[in-house]
Amino acid sequence: MEIWTEPQMEAIHKMLNPRSIAIVGATPRLQYGGRFLAAALKAQDRVRVYPVNPNYDEIQGVKSYPSVADLPEGPDLVGIVVPYHQVLEILKACHAKGAGSAIVISAGFAERGVPARRDLQTQLGAFARDTGLRLSGPNCLGLANVKDDIWATSSSRGAKGVTGPVGLVCQSGATAFGPFLARAADAGVGFSYIISTGNEADLDCSDFARYLLDDAATRVIAGFVEGFKDASKFLEVAKLAAERGKPLVMIKIGRSEAGARAARSHTAALTGADKLYDAVFAQYGVIRVQDYDELLEVSQLLAHTPKPEHPGVAVVSHSGGVSSLTADMCGLAGLDLPPLSDHARDGIDGILKGFGWAANPADVTGFANSASFPSIMEYLLDEPQVGTLVIASAGADTQAEQVISLRQRTHKGIAFLWTGSRSETAGLAKLKLANIPVFYTPDTLARGLRRRLDYHAWRDRRLSDGFAEAPALSAEQHRAIGRLRTAARTTLSESESKQLIAAWGIPVTREVLASSAEAAVEAAERLGYPVALKVDSPDIPHKTE
Amino acid sequence: MEIWTEPQMEAIHKMLNPRSIAIVGATPRLQYGGRFLAAALKAQDRVRVYPVNPNYDEIQGVKSYPSVADLPEGPDLVGIVVPYHQVLEILKACHAKGAGSAIVISAGFAERGVPARRDLQTQLGAFARDTGLRLSGPNCLGLANVKDDIWATSSSRGAKGVTGPVGLVCQSGATAFGPFLARAADAGVGFSYIISTGNEADLDCSDFARYLLDDAATRVIAGFVEGFKDASKFLEVAKLAAERGKPLVMIKIGRSEAGARAARSHTAALTGADKLYDAVFAQYGVIRVQDYDELLEVSQLLAHTPKPEHPGVAVVSHSGGVSSLTADMCGLAGLDLPPLSDHARDGIDGILKGFGWAANPADVTGFANSASFPSIMEYLLDEPQVGTLVIASAGADTQAEQVISLRQRTHKGIAFLWTGSRSETAGLAKLKLANIPVFYTPDTLARGLRRRLDYHAWRDRRLSDGFAEAPALSAEQHRAIGRLRTAARTTLSESESKQLIAAWGIPVTREVLASSAEAAVEAAERLGYPVALKVDSPDIPHKTE
């Protein structure tokens, strides 16, 4: 079975690279609809932009259309910012007009936790799949094609970012255009696309990740996921990503029950069993991280360093304390800092003339800010067991230029541990601009290097061995899954869960479903005491205890 | 036995609060001696500053003296920046002149790893203790009395910092005046003192920490330690700190062999068995952290929040994704996010009017930037099980002012998770200035809150139960320790180690020390084959394998 179709990928392509954008619910004031219009208008010289609002002839200086039907063309992308109950009608009008794709900003669907709204969301998804008018959302903040500077978002946080090879897919819009965008700008990490998917009535993060796999501008796919609607689809993405050597770096909510509960409220996402995700991610080479800064730093490292030829790491610093702490954290992360050869030690000693320490880690004192620093770095980088050089310092422009120049001359990995102020403009700014991967504390550096090593080691194994295939399902297992699939729900009641488990041959307690007090008594007598009485409902999970 | 004497504490007091500073080896150029002079001269209006250098009549606009003997007074503090072989002579001259204390910036002692330099360092320490001219260093960068803006340091990183209640003791000078100072300025974390101790020939970090325990301006003691010269002294500090409720927050190198090896090169420090430190720190309530940003954030949290009355944490954010991730990390850290009472839920629902989610964590959408936000925060803070409120947002000045105002009205803890750019001036700058503890990622926030809870819970137990006393040593154990102490070394040979272990009744393999091939053969025949032959030398540790 083909998971993704050509028309679906074409719809995503139009959504991410629109030549025309309509905004239904555009307003002069900079609320959601007004902000979407304002963001789109920044690309006015390259993209045709159509506000749709019957109350205005002109909005933000642009002609406004009373309805979708009145538009001069079927736009590549329609941003929908209207009350929840009008969304389906608008989608129908967009389809009739021949629109290519839609972003539903409107909230008020499954995240409200009531059946009617959940049903409405299901209808949006079905409509999108049936008609081919594929959509992102509802309850999202839109997206940005950063590389071409086209912003289709209601974010209040501005429409400006650094261009680069990281493609970001994020279920939470306020996180995509909040911490991710802000910290990426801080860190100089560049995006190809920023995509928020919200409740995922139709297209989900796996669909967008699948698109990014084919996108030449994206070298690393970064994701923030509360829960997967369809985990098998994600695994297919992970397999393809491994083949192509595009790392997947992810935050997956659900480390704890508190987070899982919050995610259910937020985008109605089911986080699933966390240990299972850990195991599956490990098997499929997905790099799981804990926070947005880490996601960006690790993505930047993977995007801008080659595969390490050797696992060894060399560390050089102007400070003995920094080099000790860096070595300590590298050791804690299981990284190898190979001792220096006589050649390297004598060479560096010849430069240091008794100051500092010619070793790995090297403490080269003020020589880290001298004309001799390139020679020191070269001695370390030329060591046969060293695959990656870490400069742990906070020098000025000259030091940064020396590091950037060295990176151009080597096929080994270079990373920087910046120990100065994060707001430094000298040195640090140059490093960022040159896309030297920068970390700010020894332990995030060490964990980042560890993840890079593990990823490439995993991929080497994967390319030589292939994935372990899951055993085929038995007829009984197929039937059990089929029965539950027809229920079209994402939570199972206790008795349904037990039927499923039993199909895999796992013993379960005997039980009878009783719908009245009398039936319960009768069942208890049939089973034999002692018995336990429990509520059985898909709406009340986690009540087994 | 009294560990600390009155004269010792007086010497430290003079060193940290000098009314007169001489710099031996001051120069016009801004190398080590020149920088020390320049830093001291910033306090010229409050402190008498005397450069000492026979080659100049005047340095940096101040009269220079040919020798210590020529100074008009015995200064409270002498900064010594001369070649290593001149240091002892200068110290003698300082003592003759009646100086109060000394900082030895000069390097070239035990860190060089050769016996003659180690001996020279031992002589410095002995001289200091014998004469009472106590000293910090050698191989340090000096110190700063930040609260009174007196800087006695050769650091090249400037002499400017924020004043506050964190006292920093750091064996590495370049770390104290590098990442610690820079990141504290970034984060708005204020210091009372910054003290670098270097090789610790005389005064060590425990001595300075002991002083800070009595210092009213210091509420939290932060430390960066490669190795303790005398662990029992540190434990005494930890005991006193617990009694007084001044938390000790520390980075201790030695998490891995790579770090331990680096520390030995750097300040000739013995890092010791890491698991042992973990156990002892846990027993004595010392908060162990991994990096400088974490050290500063946790110190700031402890300094600026009261003891939590309840362990429960409430989280409120403008973003569902941020609130999910924050809750997830809090859960992972074992923190409790109690569900809201009906009162709070209904109250917040009444404000949100169907948007967002009135729960814990609360996703209050745009209401986080509205006049209603104080009411929302108050509902959460008034929950009986909530001891700490976390605001996870990135609002402008108004939001910051609302949070600051709330903090003034409550006796519960307030912490901020800033999700915007770290270089934001609106909002964030106000929070820092008001000393609201700010974290920048959900997992550092969660770990910080966890450490605060653990610290206060530990201290409550400690105050009610006291410390468990170690069992007294047996006569044989005393003898075993005594024999090794006379060797005056810090590493033991294999046979010495085994003697020590055997004194505690732990079985060891039989062995004979042989000094020739013939003796070895004879010993092997006596012991019975099979046997293993090994080198036995205190200079070759880690060769047992």
Side-chain angles (χ1 to χ4, degrees):
Chain A
M1 189 189 74
E2 190 62 58
I3 298 179
W4 296 281
T5 61
E6 273 301 314
Q8 181 183 9
M9 286 297 124
E10 272 167 33
I12 294 178
H13 183 75
K14 280 190 179 170
M15 191 187 291
L16 288 170
N17 302 274
R19 282 157 310 170
S20 50
I21 305 177
I23 299 98
V24 183
T27 52
R29 283 187 56 201
L30 291 182
Q31 291 166 315
Y32 285 80
R35 291 200 297 258
F36 199 123
L37 174 59
L41 284 175
K42 292 193 175 172
Q44 208 173 354
D45 54 333
R46 288 153 288 144
V47 176
R48 299 178 293 281
V49 180
Y50 309 116
V52 176
N53 188 329
N55 302 324
Y56 301 93
D57 293 331
E58 191 185 291
I59 307 176
Q60 297 181 29
V62 183
K63 173 178 164 53
S64 173
Y65 296 83
S67 75
V68 171
D70 295 313
L71 290 173
E73 63 175 314
D76 284 346
L77 169 61
V78 183
I80 299 178
V81 198
V82 298
Y84 73 93
H85 58 273
Q86 299 171 10
V87 172
L88 192 55
E89 284 312 305
I90 298 290
L91 282 174
K92 285 176 183 167
C94 290
H95 174 57
K97 188 72 190 179
S101 67
I103 293 173
V104 183
I105 301 291
S106 319
F109 294 87
E111 84 279 6
R112 298 303 296 270
V114 294
R117 301 296 182 89
R118 217 156 33 212
D119 292 348
L120 194 55
Q121 179 170 316
T122 306
Q123 288 175 50
L124 298 191
F127 181 83
R129 283 183 295 270
D130 292 348
T131 61
L133 175 62
R134 309 307 296 256
L135 63 87
S136 182
N139 190 22
C140 74
L141 273 184
L143 54 84
N145 173 335
V146 185
K147 69 185 171 61
D148 299 320
D149 204 22
I150 301 172
W151 296 68
T153 167
S154 289
S155 165
S156 59
R157 301 264 158 198
K160 208 174 71 190
V162 182
T163 298
V166 180
L168 175 69
V169 184
C170 187
Q171 285 179 336
S172 163
T175 309
F177 292 95
F180 280 114
L181 186 55
R183 296 296 168 78
D186 284 358
V189 173
F191 292 118
S192 52
Y193 298 96
I194 301 170
I195 302 159
S196 76
T197 60
N199 290 8
E200 302 185 342
D202 173 28
L203 299 171
D204 64 15
C205 50
S206 301
D207 298 323
F208 287 105
R210 176 67 192 79
Y211 175 86
L212 294 176
L213 281 176
D214 289 341
D215 176 58
T218 302
R219 288 210 298 274
V220 173
I221 299 172
F224 175 96
V225 171
E226 302 196 331
F228 291 103
K229 300 275 157 163
D230 180 346
S232 64
K233 225 161 77 173
F234 176 71
L235 295 186
E236 202 54 42
V237 169
K239 276 190 190 179
L240 289 170
E243 279 167 22
R244 301 184 188 192
K246 284 197 187 182
L248 287 168
V249 188
M250 309 217 42
I251 296 173
K252 166 71 183 66
I253 299 283
R255 287 288 193 197
S256 69
E257 177 50 30
R261 209 171 53 214
R264 277 198 294 279
S265 329
H266 176 221
T267 47
L270 284 167
T271 50
D274 196 62
K275 293 268 177 244
L276 191 64
Y277 279 108
D278 264 349
V280 168
F281 282 10
Q283 191 186 338
Y284 285 81
V286 178
I287 301 159
R288 189 173 187 179
V289 297
Q290 303 272 72
D291 73 53
Y292 30 78
D293 283 359
E294 190 184 9
L295 187 93
L296 294 167
E297 287 168 0
V298 170
S299 297
Q300 183 79 344
L301 177 71
L302 287 162
H304 294 287
T305 52
K307 176 184 156 187
E309 290 168 19
H310 307 283
V313 175
V315 174
V316 59
S317 179
H318 67 282
S319 153
V322 167
S323 74
S324 294
L325 185 59
T326 307
D328 209 24
M329 291 298 114
C330 285
L332 190 64
L335 297 169
D336 180 36
L337 274 65
L340 296 193
S341 67
D342 291 352
H343 171 73
R345 203 189 49 241
D346 295 347
I348 297 173
D349 252 342
I351 295 168
L352 300 185
K353 295 185 183 63
F355 291 94
W357 201 255
N360 186 15
D363 165 14
V364 303
T365 69
F367 291 95
N369 296 289
S370 77
S372 313
F373 194 47
S375 304
I376 293 172
M377 290 192 287
E378 275 172 15
Y379 275 117
L380 294 169
L381 208 50
D382 288 347
E383 286 287 277
Q385 293 181 66
V386 167
T388 306
L389 174 65
V390 171
I391 299 98
S393 197
D397 280 354
T398 308
Q399 188 191 56
E401 284 156 10
Q402 289 168 343
V403 171
I404 294 163
S405 157
L406 181 70
R407 203 261 300 266
Q408 286 160 353
R409 298 197 304 277
T410 183
H411 53 282
K412 294 190 175 181
I414 305 266
F416 210 104
L417 170 64
W418 181 260
T419 60
S421 165
R422 289 173 188 258
S423 55
E424 193 73 65
T425 48
L428 180 58
K430 274 196 194 284
L431 294 170
K432 288 180 191 169
L433 205 61
N435 284 312
I436 302 281
V438 178
F439 293 81
Y440 296 87
T441 63
D443 78 327
T444 52
L445 165 89
R447 282 187 281 134
L449 294 182
R450 175 82 255 168
R451 290 179 193 288
R452 170 168 166 260
L453 269 191
D454 288 348
Y455 170 75
H456 288 289
W458 170 86
R459 187 161 179 261
D460 283 348
R461 284 198 309 275
R462 154 79 186 107
L463 292 181
S464 62
D465 303 346
F467 286 103
E469 292 297 330
L473 298 183
S474 72
E476 191 191 350
Q477 289 164 352
H478 263 299
R479 274 195 304 276
I481 292 176
R483 271 198 302 275
L484 298 173
R485 272 212 177 127
T486 57
R489 275 185 275 104
T490 46
T491 8
L492 302 180
S493 73
E494 182 172 342
S495 67
E496 287 167 345
S497 305
K498 283 186 177 162
Q499 284 173 35
L500 193 67
I501 292 169
W504 265 259
I506 296 164
V508 293
T509 52
R510 281 185 301 150
E511 58 174 30
V512 175
L513 187 60
S515 46
S516 70
E518 292 73 26
V521 172
E522 194 189 306
E525 283 170 354
R526 208 160 67 238
L527 288 168
Y529 291 91
V531 296
L533 190 68
K534 292 176 187 174
V535 175
D536 184 70
S537 160
D539 296 333
I540 311 178
H542 298 283
K543 291 295 170 200
T544 295
E545 302 78 21
Chain B
M1 189 190 73
E2 189 63 57
I3 299 180
W4 295 280
T5 61
E6 271 303 314
Q8 181 183 8
M9 286 297 126
E10 272 167 33
I12 294 178
H13 184 74
K14 278 190 182 172
M15 192 186 290
L16 289 170
N17 303 274
R19 282 158 310 170
S20 49
I21 305 177
I23 298 99
V24 183
T27 53
R29 284 186 57 199
L30 290 182
Q31 291 166 317
Y32 284 80
R35 290 200 298 257
F36 198 124
L37 174 60
L41 284 174
K42 292 193 176 174
Q44 208 173 356
D45 54 332
R46 290 153 286 143
V47 176
R48 298 179 293 284
V49 179
Y50 309 117
V52 176
N53 188 329
N55 302 325
Y56 302 92
D57 293 330
E58 192 183 290
I59 307 177
Q60 297 181 29
V62 184
K63 173 179 165 54
S64 173
Y65 295 82
S67 75
V68 172
D70 296 313
L71 291 174
E73 64 175 315
D76 283 348
L77 169 62
V78 183
I80 299 178
V81 198
V82 298
Y84 74 93
H85 59 273
Q86 298 172 11
V87 172
L88 192 56
E89 282 313 305
I90 298 290
L91 282 174
K92 286 176 182 167
C94 290
H95 174 58
K97 188 72 191 179
S101 67
I103 293 174
V104 182
I105 301 289
S106 319
F109 294 86
E111 84 280 5
R112 297 303 295 273
V114 293
R117 301 296 183 88
R118 216 154 35 213
D119 292 349
L120 194 55
Q121 179 171 314
T122 306
Q123 288 175 50
L124 298 192
F127 181 82
R129 283 184 295 270
D130 291 349
T131 60
L133 175 62
R134 308 307 294 256
L135 64 87
S136 181
N139 190 22
C140 74
L141 274 184
L143 54 85
N145 174 334
V146 185
K147 68 184 173 60
D148 299 321
D149 204 22
I150 301 172
W151 296 69
T153 167
S154 290
S155 165
S156 59
R157 301 261 157 202
K160 207 174 71 190
V162 182
T163 298
V166 179
L168 175 69
V169 184
C170 188
Q171 285 179 337
S172 163
T175 309
F177 292 94
F180 280 115
L181 186 55
R183 296 296 169 78
D186 284 357
V189 173
F191 291 118
S192 54
Y193 298 96
I194 300 170
I195 301 158
S196 76
T197 60
N199 290 7
E200 302 185 341
D202 173 28
L203 298 171
D204 65 15
C205 50
S206 302
D207 297 322
F208 287 105
R210 177 65 192 80
Y211 174 87
L212 295 177
L213 283 176
D214 288 341
D215 175 58
T218 303
R219 289 211 298 275
V220 173
I221 299 171
F224 175 95
V225 171
E226 301 197 330
F228 291 103
K229 300 274 157 164
D230 181 346
S232 64
K233 224 161 78 174
F234 176 71
L235 294 186
E236 202 54 41
V237 169
K239 275 191 191 179
L240 288 171
E243 279 168 21
R244 301 184 187 191
K246 284 197 187 182
L248 286 168
V249 188
M250 308 217 44
I251 296 172
K252 166 72 183 66
I253 299 284
R255 286 288 193 197
S256 69
E257 176 51 30
R261 208 171 53 213
R264 275 198 296 277
S265 330
H266 177 221
T267 48
L270 282 168
T271 50
D274 196 63
K275 293 268 178 250
L276 190 64
Y277 278 107
D278 264 349
V280 168
F281 283 9
Q283 191 186 339
Y284 285 81
V286 178
I287 302 159
R288 188 173 187 181
V289 297
Q290 303 271 70
D291 73 52
Y292 30 79
D293 283 358
E294 190 184 9
L295 187 93
L296 293 167
E297 286 167 1
V298 170
S299 297
Q300 183 80 343
L301 178 71
L302 287 162
H304 294 288
T305 52
K307 176 183 158 187
E309 290 169 18
H310 307 284
V313 175
V315 174
V316 60
S317 179
H318 67 282
S319 153
V322 167
S323 74
S324 293
L325 185 59
T326 307
D328 209 24
M329 291 299 114
C330 286
L332 191 64
L335 297 169
D336 181 36
L337 273 65
L340 296 193
S341 67
D342 291 351
H343 171 73
R345 203 189 49 239
D346 295 348
I348 297 173
D349 253 342
I351 295 168
L352 300 185
K353 294 185 183 64
F355 292 95
W357 202 256
N360 186 17
D363 164 14
V364 303
T365 69
F367 291 95
N369 295 289
S370 77
S372 313
F373 193 47
S375 304
I376 293 172
M377 291 191 287
E378 274 171 15
Y379 276 116
L380 294 169
L381 207 52
D382 288 348
E383 287 288 278
Q385 294 181 65
V386 168
T388 306
L389 175 65
V390 172
I391 298 98
S393 197
D397 280 354
T398 308
Q399 188 191 56
E401 283 156 11
Q402 289 167 344
V403 171
I404 293 163
S405 156
L406 181 71
R407 203 261 301 266
Q408 286 159 355
R409 299 197 304 277
T410 183
H411 53 282
K412 294 189 174 181
I414 305 265
F416 209 103
L417 171 63
W418 181 259
T419 61
S421 165
R422 290 174 188 256
S423 55
E424 193 73 66
T425 47
L428 180 58
K430 273 197 194 287
L431 294 169
K432 289 179 191 169
L433 205 62
N435 284 312
I436 302 281
V438 177
F439 293 81
Y440 296 86
T441 63
D443 78 328
T444 52
L445 165 90
R447 283 186 281 134
L449 294 182
R450 176 79 256 169
R451 291 179 192 289
R452 169 168 166 259
L453 270 191
D454 289 347
Y455 170 75
H456 288 288
W458 169 86
R459 186 160 180 262
D460 283 349
R461 285 198 308 276
R462 154 78 185 109
L463 293 181
S464 61
D465 303 347
F467 285 103
E469 291 296 331
L473 297 182
S474 72
E476 189 192 350
Q477 288 163 354
H478 262 300
R479 273 196 304 276
I481 292 176
R483 270 197 304 275
L484 298 173
R485 273 211 177 128
T486 56
R489 275 185 274 106
T490 46
T491 10
L492 302 182
S493 74
E494 181 172 343
S495 66
E496 286 167 345
S497 305
K498 283 186 177 163
Q499 285 174 33
L500 192 68
I501 292 169
W504 264 260
I506 296 165
V508 293
T509 52
R510 282 184 303 149
E511 58 175 31
V512 176
L513 187 59
S515 46
S516 70
E518 292 72 27
V521 171
E522 193 189 308
E525 281 168 355
R526 207 161 63 238
L527 289 167
Y529 291 90
V531 295
L533 189 69
K534 293 177 187 174
V535 175
D536 184 70
S537 160
D539 296 333
I540 311 179
H542 297 284
K543 291 296 170 199
T544 294
E545 303 78 19

